[in-house]
Amino acid sequence: MKLLKLDACVTASNDRDADALRAKTKACGTLLINVMSSPGAGKTTLLSALIRALPQLDIAVMEADIESDVDAKAIEALGARAVQVHTSGMCHMDAGMTTAAFDAIDGPPPDLAFLENVGNLICPAEFDTGAGKNLMILSVPEGDDKPLKYPLMFRESDALVISKLDARPYFDFDLDACMARARKLNPAVRIFPVSAKTGEGMEALVQWLLAETAAWKEA
Amino acid sequence: MHEMGIVLHLAKTLDETAAEHQLTAIGKVVLQVGEVSGIMTDLFTDCWEYFKGRHPVLKDSTLVIEPIPAVTWCDSCKRTYETVRYGKECPYCHSGETWLLRGNECVIKEIEAE
């Protein structure tokens, strides 16, 4: 028996798969956005509103769920391409699963592909999916203290969407405190308070997506 | 159950390491796991015992977990303290300007193999 000193990250194989997927999506001009949130934060509702607001972009959605295809059906009803992924009990998507889902999108590469990760604030943040950008949704009913309780996801996200803004009158949600907590963990994070239902704040998010999609194709 | 996902990646990383170094059997795997890495070591070991049987090079291996204590640095008073005992707020100056120094790792330190 010989001793090998490795000092390797346990998820080294995943990190390699993730870099390969990023190179692939760069080459075909598709910006892949990993969308993370807890269950019920409004991922499908937000994505549906974004698909309607971005008719100039060809959009595909990869729906990762432990079971069912209700989300994929909702997306297809809007005319976008959808791929349903079942994680067979796994609480997150890794880069290998994301690559398989990306390859399953029919037709030419889209401009923008959303990976709707499994609803969970913990594990999805620990695995690099190979996405170009990470977007996290926190909904008003979940509370403004979530950056304190689940710091990793806030640190890993390029954009934070604070959703269900129309529900603010019913909850003690301190928007300024929430934004300050998120920025303390991640000074570079872009924050978009929105209501997908009323349309409030959606324009800023739409403009950010247009700019990021164009930048991904150019650089 | 993110332990299962991490075990799958650990097994894959070790399979790749074995291929790279032309190893036929891995005997011992030493893993360093941070106190606040979010990994439940009992559950992790159970998942390992189940999955190692699926990888010929790993089937007779033993997993040794070395815990790494979590330590937080306070930016205000420039001191360190035990993360698990005191949390985010510095016990000396009560500042919230604190950062985790170590304790979030999950690293394959070394393996014994032939």
Side-chain angles (χ1 to χ4, degrees):
Chain A
M1 284 273 169
K2 57 181 172 182
L3 188 71
L4 266 82
K5 294 271 182 197
L6 291 179
D7 283 321
C9 177
V10 162
T11 54
S13 70
N14 184 64
D15 295 344
R16 271 196 299 279
D17 291 348
D19 288 339
L21 180 57
R22 254 188 301 277
K24 182 178 183 165
T25 54
K26 191 86 196 170
C28 68
T30 300
L31 174 60
L32 173 57
I33 297 187
N34 174 29
V35 181
M36 300 179 285
S37 81
S38 54
K43 288 186 291 298
T44 309
T45 304
L46 182 79
L47 291 182
S48 300
L50 288 173
I51 290 165
R52 279 192 290 264
L54 289 162
Q56 62 274 58
L57 295 184
D58 181 15
I59 299 177
V61 179
M62 297 171 272
E63 291 284 350
D65 286 298
I66 289 175
E67 283 195 44
S68 101
D69 60 356
V70 291
D71 289 344
K73 282 186 173 148
I75 295 298
E76 277 177 343
L78 296 165
R81 287 177 281 169
V83 174
Q84 180 71 54
V85 187
H86 284 156
T87 61
S88 345
M90 203 97 91
C91 54
H92 60 269
M93 288 289 282
D94 64 20
M97 293 155 83
T98 307
T99 305
F102 185 74
D103 290 342
I105 298 172
D106 288 327
D111 301 312
L112 186 57
F114 289 109
L115 168 65
E116 194 179 320
N117 213 315
V118 180
N120 177 340
L121 282 188
I122 306 168
C123 318
E126 294 179 354
F127 289 84
D128 187 346
T129 58
K133 295 282 168 189
N134 286 322
L135 182 149
M136 175 187 180
I137 307 173
L138 175 71
S139 66
V140 163
E142 291 170 74
D144 53 49
D145 59 351
K146 291 302 164 288
L148 305 174
K149 292 188 174 177
Y150 304 94
L152 183 66
M153 193 170 283
F154 289 87
R155 261 186 228 127
E156 295 292 321
S157 295
D158 300 291
L160 166 64
V161 173
I162 299 177
S163 69
K164 306 191 188 180
L165 217 53
D166 50 297
R168 268 179 90 193
Y170 310 103
F171 294 92
D172 297 322
F173 187 92
D174 187 334
L175 185 60
D176 292 336
C178 186
M179 286 167 56
R181 284 167 185 155
R183 288 213 171 94
K184 197 165 177 183
L185 292 166
N186 181 352
V189 71
R190 294 289 306 267
I191 305 179
F192 301 98
V194 307
S195 164
K197 208 169 165 183
T198 66
E200 184 183 357
M202 289 293 286
E203 188 51 31
L205 179 58
V206 164
Q207 291 306 324
W208 180 77
L209 287 168
L210 282 171
E212 291 296 334
T213 306
W216 187 259
K217 281 184 195 289
E218 277 168 22
Chain B
M1 272 302 280
H2 81 306
E3 283 75 9
M4 184 171 88
I6 297 170
V7 164
L8 287 173
H9 284 294
L10 171 62
K12 197 175 164 202
T13 300
L14 290 174
D15 266 347
E16 288 170 3
T17 306
E20 194 184 323
H21 297 271
Q22 282 139 18
L23 307 171
T24 52
I26 292 177
K28 189 165 88 171
V29 179
V30 182
L31 201 66
Q32 292 180 312
V33 177
E35 209 178 1
V36 295
S37 65
I39 293 172
M40 318 252 319
T41 52
D42 288 358
L43 198 54
F44 194 90
T45 306
D46 287 348
C47 288
W48 174 260
E49 290 303 318
Y50 176 75
F51 279 103
K52 74 177 190 184
R54 297 181 171 203
H55 298 260
V57 78
L58 300 174
K59 67 176 173 35
D60 296 318
S61 63
T62 49
L63 182 68
V64 177
I65 293 182
E66 287 183 358
I68 300 177
V71 176
T72 297
W73 162 259
C74 174
D75 237 2
S76 299
C77 72
K78 316 290 178 199
R79 285 203 262 193
T80 60
Y81 63 88
E82 292 170 57
T83 310
V84 173
R85 187 164 173 196
Y86 299 107
K88 178 78 180 146
E89 191 183 294
C90 174
Y92 304 110
C93 72
H94 304 289
S95 163
E97 299 288 328
T98 58
W99 308 101
L100 190 67
L101 272 187
R102 59 179 170 273
N104 198 26
E105 304 82 351
C106 184
V107 174
I108 311 167
K109 184 185 173 194
E110 58 196 26
I111 58 173
E112 275 180 12
E114 57 192 23

